[in-house]
């Protein structure tokens, strides 16, 4: 199966992008879909593919500031009346700028502001004439031309302006919430990363330009104002207004500036005393927050900042570190220095109502943002092209450090399933960008917040963390931070610091250097496939660029690959390591000790590459898994499953290898391998593709259902106080897969529990509702399905409506499915019709047959109403693709059909 079908069927991506030569990237589409660094493998359908702009000659020179002048300090003064629901504001920004080269032009960023006064004064406070003001909407800049050239030295630039508080989650924007008295209130907050500080006030809006900021906000008397630094003074100015002034910040880029105006928000505080630093911490949240959630977030923050300080051997440098939770935020959170702002879902966790996944998200998010206080804030990537120096590090450390903060959660292992394997999935086409990629325009800068910066960047840093050794890598990172703080950095700065640590610890041969080894991973897209064979007492390792067979362009890319492998015999385990150099396609090593044992390459999946074996070596591994799965670590079992699926889809292993490997899971009860197996890019691909063939789908279901017997009996439907943390997600997945695969005991139990929840006699835990309702709907009678459908009509929350639609689509009642599908033509303008249609045909072969009947029954009405809608055309194209590629699975389906019934 080719990459295009894999991504089309599983990820629902616009496959035509992959056929073009433009550089592309992938990120989660839709607001608040995910924490960018943490991925639910069953939510991959939310992936959005985008092309970068074609490079032009103008890009290299026109979209960056000339830097003839740079700012040294800002005083930003805003006057607002958000408390009166007046969203206009006025402002003054006074900048101390330094002229670095004689020039008659001052160029900076400005967007959305109406400039009402501009003046330039020299060091003697003499005003200099401005002969023209030119705004460039495309470049988002304003140029002030002076009557005579400005000479080297310091000048004062003052700009007065008018603007409005935005309503689109960007720049300086408003968000609404319900106060204690039930009234709707507004708060105003900032989200400036990457290039939206310029939409709030004129500024030099580039990440490599650092200056100090003094923030002054005028607002209503009843409001509370927050910013990066502690309060300096509050002054009553009359007319029901007050002016809040904050202490100057350290030097920092504009995207880290933050301020917020709230009313009725509640807060809790604590203080941390030196050593290593004295920090005042405050958690601010909407009035609906519970005391448990407030306390958990505040205390977690204190634990995390101390953990990060200790790990990097670097004290936090600001006097405060506040956390603000708000109802609407574009990202999960933003690392503004001293004032981290969160979507409330990623900061406020209450054990009495939240799920285990909610808790994971809160811990990981706080760690991610607090790592940024050092890697991102204290030192900042020189430009957005190297965003991974910030986001890649934060992604790696959010798992690595979270595992020490909460050892009961398997964060280190989850990195492979949520970050590394997702990056491998998406990074296997020549058109995908490398980690470091030059961008200039707003849209392209925003596209850099993608799987490459986060997941791939984090995976590559994790690989070198292991390849160089934890001690040496940490020594290098600590040096990187301490020698580059208060600076803008490039990958060369990181290479240099790691090289010094490597040389001191004698980790690499003298002929190796870190820059040479790391550069292919940073500046080349893709990753290698390492194929291992055993011939005449030699292990042969071969590297090639992992691409799918449909790629029309060949690639001779190679990498410096850190190879680790285990030789496992009956009573001994031997681990060996070496490097495959870039430019070398094959390395052979004598290995007489293998005998009847097996070799496992890339144990714990520490390397960012895939591994294939010759058929004999695959048989040795699979044989041991059938005998004793625990002889191989859970992460490595998951890796074998993930690699084998992708090797099968790319025609690199035969169907019998995958079939044999899957048979071992009938004894698997660990959450990590099952998470990988159930993923939408593994078993999910088969289930999705075989839906168009009833006999093939039934064979697949008959094969997979018995394999889940052991884990189904182990997890059950009921929680136990002694359940490990990861069992919630595993239980939910096992119930959904078991019921949809036809297990009668699963369906019967799910139906009973669904009815109890629906009637209120036995509420389900939040994490189980979707799976149990889907399982129950498979065998529910028409009358009960109609009751659920009636309930759907009363739901107003879009998330709840979608969950109910997904549950109803699991039904295998032909009469109900026909009626459910017919309903979408009654009012297609609502936009919900495509959700219903997609859910029904994707859930089961029964649903697909209902879709076909619907097409026949309503052909004329479809033509006149939705046939030209892009969403419908996409659905038709998706189904045609499934049908066309169904034959690719003939050999595997035949193995399913020939499997003896349990």
């Amino acid at each position: 199966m080719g990459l295009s079908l894999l991504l089309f069927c599983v990820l629902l991506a616009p496959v035509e992008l992959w056929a073009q030569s433009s550089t592309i990237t992938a990120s989660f589409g839709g607001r608040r879909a995910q924490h960018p660094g943490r991925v639910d493998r069953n939510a991959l359908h939310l992936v959005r593919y985008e092309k970068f702009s074609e490079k032009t000659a103008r890009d290299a020179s026109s979209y960056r500031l000339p830097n003839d002048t740079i700012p040294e300090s800002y005083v930003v003064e805003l006057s607002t009346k958000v408390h009166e629901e007046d969203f206009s504001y006025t402002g003054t920004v006074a900048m101390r700028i330094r002229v670095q080269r004689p020039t008659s032009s001052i160029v900076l960023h400005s967007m959305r502001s109406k400039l009402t006064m501009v003046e330039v004064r020299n060091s003697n406070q003499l005003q200099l004439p401005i002969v023209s003001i030119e705004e460039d909407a495309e470049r988002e800049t304003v140029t002030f031309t002076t009557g005579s050239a400005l000479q080297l030295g310091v000048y004062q630039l003052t700009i007065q302006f008018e603007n409005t508080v935005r309503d689109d989650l960007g720049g300086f924007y408003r968000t609404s919430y319900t106060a204690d008295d039930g009234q709707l209130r507004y708060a105003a907050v900032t989200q400036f990363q990457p290039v939206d500080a310029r939409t709030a006030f004129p500024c030099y809006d580039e990440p490599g330009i650092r200056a100090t900021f003094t923030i002054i906000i005028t607002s209503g008397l009843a409001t509370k104002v927050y910013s990066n630094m502690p309060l300096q003074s509050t002054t009553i100015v009359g007319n029901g207004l007050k002016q809040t002034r904050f202490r100057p910040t350290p030097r920092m880029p504009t995207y880290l500036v933050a301020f917020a105006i709230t009313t009725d928000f509640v807060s809790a505080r604590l203080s941390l005393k030196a050593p290593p630093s004295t920090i005042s911490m405050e958690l601010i949240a909407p009035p609906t927050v519970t005391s448990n959630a407030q306390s958990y977030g505040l205390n977690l923050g204190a634990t995390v900042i101390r953990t990060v300080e200790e790990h990097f051997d670097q004290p936090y440098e600001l006097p405060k570190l506040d956390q603000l939770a708000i109802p609407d935020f574009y990202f999960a959170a933003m690392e503004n220095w001293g004032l981290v702002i969160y979507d409330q879902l990623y900061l406020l966790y209450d054990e009495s109502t939240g799920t285990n996944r909610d808790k994971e998200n809160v811990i990981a998010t706080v760690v991610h943002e607090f790592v940024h206080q050092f890697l991102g804030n204290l030192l900042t990537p020189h430009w957005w092209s190297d965003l991974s120096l910030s986001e890649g590090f934060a992604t790696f450390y959010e798992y690595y450090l979270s595992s020490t903060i909460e050892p009961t959660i398997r964060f280190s292992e989850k990195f492979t399933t949520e970050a590394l394997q997702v990056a491998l999935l998406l990074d296997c086409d020549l058109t995908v960008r490398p980690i470091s990629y030059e961008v200039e325009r707003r849209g392209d800068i925003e596209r850099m917040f993608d799987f490459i910066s986060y997941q791939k960047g984090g995976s590559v840093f994790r690989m070198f963390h292991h390849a160089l050794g934890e001690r040496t890598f940490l020594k290098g990172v600590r040096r990187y931070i301490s020698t580059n703080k208060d600076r803008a950095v490039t990958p060369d700065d990181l290479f240099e610091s790691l090289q010094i640590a490597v040389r001191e610890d004698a980790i690499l041969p003298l002929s190796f250097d870190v820059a040479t080894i790391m550069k292919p991973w940073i500046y080349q897209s893709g990753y290698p496939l390492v194929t291992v064979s055993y011939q005449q007492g030699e292990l042969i390792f071969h590297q090639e660029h992992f691409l799918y067979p449909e790629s029309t362009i060949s690639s001779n890319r190679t990498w410096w690959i850190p190879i680790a492998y285990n030789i496992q015999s009956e009573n001994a385990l031997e681990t060996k390591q070496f490097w495959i150099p870039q430019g070398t396609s094959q390395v052979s090593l004598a290995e007489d000790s293998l005998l009847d044992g097996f070799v496992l390459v890339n144990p714990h999946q520490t390397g960012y590459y895939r591994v294939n074996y010759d058929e004999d070596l695959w048989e040795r591994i699979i044989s041991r898994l059938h005998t004793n799965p625990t002889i191989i670590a859970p992460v490595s079992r998951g890796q074998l499953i993930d690699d084998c699926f992708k090797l099968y889809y790319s025609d690199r292993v035969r169907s019998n290898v995958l079939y044999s490997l899957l048979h071992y899971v009938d004894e698997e009860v660990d959450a990590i391998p099952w998470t990988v197996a159930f993923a939408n890019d593994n078993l999910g691909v088969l289930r999705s593709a075989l839906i168009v063939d009833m006999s093939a789908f039934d064979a697949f279901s008959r094969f997979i259902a018995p394999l889940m017997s052991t884990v189904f009996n182990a997890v059950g439907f009921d929680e136990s106080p002694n359940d490990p943390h990861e069992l919630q997600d595993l239980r939910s997945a096992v119930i959904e897969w078991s019921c949809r695969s036809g297990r009668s005991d699963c369906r019967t139990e799910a139906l009973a529990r669904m009815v109890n929840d629906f009637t209120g006699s036995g509420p389900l835990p939040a994490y189980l509702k979707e799976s149990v309702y889907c399982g129950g709907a498979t065998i529910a009678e028409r009358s009960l399905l109609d009751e659920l459908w009636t309930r759907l009509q009363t739901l107003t929350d879009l998330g709840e409506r979608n969950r109910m639609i997904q549950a109803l689509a699991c039904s295998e009642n032909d009469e109900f499915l026909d009626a459910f599908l017919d309903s979408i033509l009654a009012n297609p303008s609502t936009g919900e019709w495509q959700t219903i249609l997609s859910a029904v045909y994707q859930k089961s072969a029964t649903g697909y047959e209902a879709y076909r009947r619907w097409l026949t029954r309503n052909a004329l009405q479809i033509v006149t109403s939705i046939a030209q809608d892009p969403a419908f055309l996409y659905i038709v194209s998706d189904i045609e693709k499934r049908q066309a590629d169904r034959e690719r699975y003939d050999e595997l389906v035949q193995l399913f059909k020939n499997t003896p019934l349990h």
Side-chain angles (χ1 to χ4, degrees):
M1 181 179 183
L3 175 63
S4 63
L5 176 60
L6 172 65
L7 295 177
F8 198 104
C9 292
V10 182
L11 308 181
L12 303 183
V15 74
E16 63 271 13
L17 286 180
W18 294 85
Q20 300 183 17
S21 59
S22 300
T23 303
I24 67 169
T25 190
S27 59
F28 263 108
R31 184 173 64 84
R32 293 171 62 181
Q34 292 278 336
H35 181 298
R38 307 199 71 227
V39 177
D40 178 355
R41 293 280 281 278
N42 294 317
L44 290 173
H45 60 282
L46 296 172
V47 168
R48 176 183 62 200
Y49 293 84
E50 293 183 289
K51 292 189 296 181
F52 285 97
S53 303
E54 296 292 338
K55 293 291 198 308
T56 67
R58 181 180 183 186
D59 285 355
S61 60
S62 295
Y63 288 89
R64 298 283 294 273
L65 296 178
N67 290 339
D68 295 332
T69 64
I70 59 170
E72 294 186 344
S73 66
Y74 294 79
V75 177
V76 180
E77 185 174 349
L78 306 181
S79 181
T80 73
K81 294 184 180 179
V82 174
H83 62 291
E84 296 179 355
E85 300 185 21
D86 178 353
F87 301 116
S88 62
Y89 67 92
T90 59
T92 300
V93 56
M95 290 174 251
R96 175 187 168 94
I97 62 173
R98 180 170 294 278
V99 175
Q100 303 195 110
R101 291 181 291 272
T103 180
S104 58
S105 298
I106 301 173
V107 185
L108 63 154
H109 291 104
S110 182
M111 187 179 177
R112 298 186 82 253
S113 292
K114 178 183 177 182
L115 309 188
T116 58
M117 188 279 289
V118 181
E119 70 172 26
V120 177
R121 294 180 180 272
N122 64 18
S123 58
N124 295 321
Q125 292 302 303
L126 294 177
Q127 186 171 342
L128 306 180
I130 297 175
V131 297
S132 69
I133 300 175
E134 181 182 355
E135 297 187 64
D136 187 325
E138 182 184 356
R139 295 171 58 210
E140 303 178 1
T141 60
V142 60
T143 300
F144 306 122
T145 304
T146 56
S148 58
L150 304 177
Q151 300 305 310
L152 302 186
V154 175
Y155 295 79
Q156 184 81 7
L157 171 63
T158 304
I159 306 171
Q160 293 180 358
F161 59 95
E162 298 172 352
N163 206 326
T164 56
V165 178
R166 293 166 58 175
D167 61 0
D168 58 357
L169 307 182
F172 184 31
Y173 76 94
R174 62 185 183 266
T175 180
S176 62
Y177 60 96
T178 303
D180 286 337
D181 59 6
Q183 297 297 309
L184 190 69
R185 296 273 198 280
Y186 286 94
V189 298
T190 56
Q191 170 52 44
F192 288 161
Q193 192 184 45
V195 288
D196 273 327
R198 66 190 68 172
T199 70
F201 58 91
C203 58
Y204 292 75
D205 201 11
E206 292 188 355
I209 300 176
R210 301 173 77 90
T212 64
F213 293 83
T214 299
I215 305 298
I216 305 170
I217 306 286
T218 298
S219 62
L221 286 174
T223 63
K224 185 70 182 291
V225 184
Y226 301 90
S227 189
N228 305 85
M229 292 294 286
L231 178 71
Q232 179 170 310
S233 65
T234 301
T235 305
I236 306 301
V237 295
N239 297 319
L241 300 173
K242 65 180 179 182
Q243 186 182 82
T244 306
R245 185 186 185 101
F246 295 91
R247 287 160 53 183
T249 70
R251 288 179 1 112
M252 66 183 191
T254 48
Y255 79 85
L256 292 175
V257 173
F259 39 85
I261 304 169
T262 68
T263 306
D264 299 327
F265 274 40
V266 295
S267 69
R269 299 178 180 84
L270 61 75
S271 294
L272 299 177
K273 303 300 182 185
S277 59
T278 297
I279 310 172
S280 170
M281 304 190 73
E282 184 173 2
L283 188 145
I284 309 106
T288 53
V289 64
T290 66
S291 59
N292 287 341
Q294 203 172 12
S295 176
Y296 182 84
L298 184 63
N299 291 320
L300 173 65
T303 300
V304 171
I305 192 58
R306 285 305 195 220
T307 300
V308 177
E309 285 180 312
E310 179 181 359
H311 187 77
F312 293 141
D313 193 26
Q314 179 71 42
Y316 176 74
E317 295 204 347
L318 269 64
K320 79 174 183 73
L321 180 51
D322 293 343
Q323 301 181 89
L324 169 63
I326 61 172
D328 294 295
F329 203 60
Y330 188 84
F331 295 109
M334 176 61 207
E335 64 267 20
N336 311 301
W337 210 356
L339 178 61
V340 182
I341 302 179
Y342 300 79
D343 182 309
Q344 60 189 7
L345 297 177
Y346 291 90
L347 177 62
L348 306 178
Y349 168 73
D350 190 324
E351 189 174 13
S352 64
T353 56
T355 67
N356 285 2
R357 182 68 179 184
D358 294 335
K359 183 177 182 179
E360 286 178 41
N361 284 338
V362 168
I363 294 171
T365 303
V366 173
V367 173
H368 186 106
E369 304 311 323
F370 282 18
V371 166
H372 274 315
Q373 303 301 304
F374 302 86
L375 294 165
N377 298 6
L378 193 59
L379 58 161
T380 306
H382 74 113
W383 184 248
W384 303 111
S385 54
D386 291 307
L387 179 63
S388 200
L389 291 175
S390 176
E391 298 299 350
F393 265 124
T395 300
F396 165 52
Y397 279 119
E398 78 174 68
Y399 287 88
Y400 183 78
L401 295 179
S402 291
S403 67
T404 66
I405 290 165
E406 185 52 83
T408 63
I409 302 177
R410 298 163 67 179
F411 277 109
S412 291
E413 294 169 280
K414 281 174 171 286
F415 183 94
T416 63
T417 64
E418 296 177 354
L420 187 146
Q421 290 171 13
V422 172
L424 292 175
L425 172 67
L426 301 170
D427 187 28
C428 54
D429 190 276
L430 282 168
T431 59
V432 175
R433 75 171 180 88
I435 288 177
S436 181
Y437 183 73
E438 195 62 36
V439 290
E440 300 291 341
R441 306 184 188 194
R442 166 184 284 269
D444 291 335
I445 290 170
E446 291 171 345
R447 292 182 187 101
M448 293 295 288
F449 291 77
D450 60 3
F451 286 105
I452 300 300
S453 290
Y454 287 79
Q455 280 82 0
K456 181 178 181 178
S459 298
V460 168
F461 292 143
R462 174 177 176 266
M463 175 172 65
F464 282 94
H465 167 88
H466 288 282
L468 301 179
E470 295 188 24
R471 177 178 174 274
T472 300
F473 185 81
L474 178 58
K475 179 191 289 188
V477 170
R478 285 177 171 178
R479 182 181 184 86
Y480 170 64
I481 293 173
S482 63
T483 60
N484 292 293
K485 60 184 180 180
D486 192 33
R487 285 190 57 228
V489 291
T490 70
D492 288 340
D493 295 307
L494 175 62
F495 301 156
E496 181 182 348
S497 294
L498 290 175
Q499 178 63 37
I500 292 172
V502 163
R503 187 170 58 245
E504 289 176 353
D505 293 354
I507 294 300
L508 296 174
L510 292 177
S511 60
F512 289 27
D513 72 89
V514 170
T516 299
I517 291 171
M518 288 190 73
K519 279 182 177 180
W521 299 97
I522 302 298
Y523 297 108
Q524 286 185 161
S525 65
Y527 57 87
L529 166 67
V530 176
T531 301
V532 189
S533 58
Y534 188 55
Q535 300 174 19
Q536 300 177 337
E538 282 190 335
L539 278 175
I540 302 171
F541 297 81
H542 175 82
Q543 72 155 308
E544 63 181 291
H545 187 179
F546 183 86
L547 297 171
Y548 279 79
E550 66 184 31
S551 177
T552 58
I553 305 174
S554 61
S555 169
N556 59 0
R557 288 179 190 169
T558 56
W559 290 260
W560 281 89
I561 309 175
I563 300 291
Y565 65 98
N566 291 342
I567 298 292
Q568 180 80 54
S569 59
E570 204 59 51
N571 299 309
L573 170 66
E574 186 178 7
T575 299
K576 300 184 178 182
Q577 295 176 298
F578 70 97
W579 290 83
I580 299 180
Q582 186 179 28
T584 302
S585 62
Q586 186 169 297
V587 172
S588 299
L589 300 175
E591 196 58 77
D592 296 327
S593 60
L594 188 56
L595 300 176
D596 295 328
F598 67 92
V599 59
L600 181 71
V601 179
N602 198 17
H604 300 282
Q605 204 167 16
T606 57
Y608 184 68
Y609 54 88
R610 295 199 186 278
V611 181
N612 193 10
Y613 303 89
D614 65 26
E615 204 148 315
D616 172 64
L617 293 178
W618 269 117
E619 287 180 6
R620 293 178 186 227
I621 293 170
I622 293 170
S623 175
R624 289 302 179 92
L625 285 172
H626 282 279
T627 303
N628 177 19
T630 60
I631 199 170
I632 296 175
V635 167
S636 293
R637 302 201 298 270
Q639 172 195 356
L640 288 166
I641 292 171
D642 191 62
D643 280 350
C644 195
F645 266 110
K646 305 314 186 295
L647 294 166
Y648 169 68
Y649 294 144
S650 61
D651 301 326
R652 288 182 170 92
V653 300
R654 295 169 52 196
S655 56
N656 65 299
V657 174
L658 177 60
Y659 177 79
S660 180
L661 177 64
L662 287 175
H663 262 292
Y664 109 82
V665 300
D666 62 357
E667 295 301 320
E668 182 65 79
V669 294
D670 192 275
I672 298 295
W674 273 116
T675 298
V676 177
F678 285 146
N680 275 6
D681 52 301
N682 290 326
L683 280 174
V685 170
L686 290 177
R687 183 167 69 178
S688 295
L690 298 180
I691 274 171
V692 300
D693 182 335
M694 180 70 79
S695 65
F697 187 79
D698 287 347
F700 169 75
S701 298
R702 288 195 304 272
F703 168 75
I704 198 66
L707 296 182
M708 294 184 287
S709 293
T710 301
V711 69
F712 177 76
N713 292 328
V715 301
F717 279 79
D718 294 312
E719 288 184 307
S720 165
N722 298 320
D723 282 349
H725 174 90
E726 66 274 7
L727 209 59
Q728 278 193 3
D729 283 349
L730 179 61
R731 179 178 292 116
S732 175
V734 167
I735 289 172
E736 189 253 338
W737 270 85
S738 297
C739 288
R740 284 179 62 185
S741 298
R743 286 188 64 99
S744 58
D745 53 348
C746 179
R747 292 180 166 194
T748 302
E749 184 66 21
L751 177 61
R753 290 175 183 252
M754 180 183 77
V755 170
N756 289 340
D757 181 80
F758 185 66
T759 59
S761 60
L764 285 164
Y767 77 93
L768 272 187
K769 274 198 172 186
E770 196 164 343
S771 295
V772 169
Y773 269 64
C774 177
T778 59
I779 59 171
E781 294 183 356
R782 174 66 191 272
S783 58
L784 178 55
L785 293 168
D786 284 341
E787 288 186 58
L788 293 172
W789 193 3
T790 301
R791 173 72 62 83
L792 170 64
Q793 310 312 315
T794 68
L795 298 175
T796 57
D797 181 83
L798 294 179
E800 290 183 16
R801 289 187 65 84
N802 183 65
R803 284 188 287 273
M804 184 63 81
I805 289 170
Q806 298 298 325
L808 289 170
C810 293
S811 170
E812 296 181 4
N813 183 300
D814 289 340
E815 182 183 357
F816 171 77
L817 290 176
D818 287 344
F820 196 36
L821 288 178
D822 285 342
S823 72
I824 68 178
L825 292 173
N827 189 15
S829 63
T830 62
E832 202 167 60
W833 65 266
Q834 60 263 48
T835 303
I836 296 173
L837 188 59
S838 298
V840 169
Y841 85 76
Q842 291 175 8
K843 289 294 185 183
S844 67
T846 301
Y848 172 72
E849 291 300 322
Y851 163 79
R852 294 184 62 189
R853 292 194 302 272
W854 173 80
L855 280 180
T856 303
R857 200 167 52 246
N858 299 284
L860 182 59
Q861 191 175 358
I862 291 170
V863 168
T864 58
S865 59
I866 63 173
Q868 297 306 311
D869 189 303
F872 182 70
L873 295 175
Y874 176 81
I875 289 171
V876 171
S877 179
D878 178 30
I879 291 174
E880 288 175 350
K881 194 70 175 172
R882 295 172 192 241
Q883 293 167 337
D885 287 283
R886 157 63 189 88
E887 62 188 42
R888 294 175 181 267
Y889 298 111
D890 278 346
E891 190 175 305
L892 188 59
V893 168
Q894 196 57 49
L895 291 173
F896 292 156
K897 290 181 176 180
N898 294 338
T899 302
L901 296 176
H902 284 227

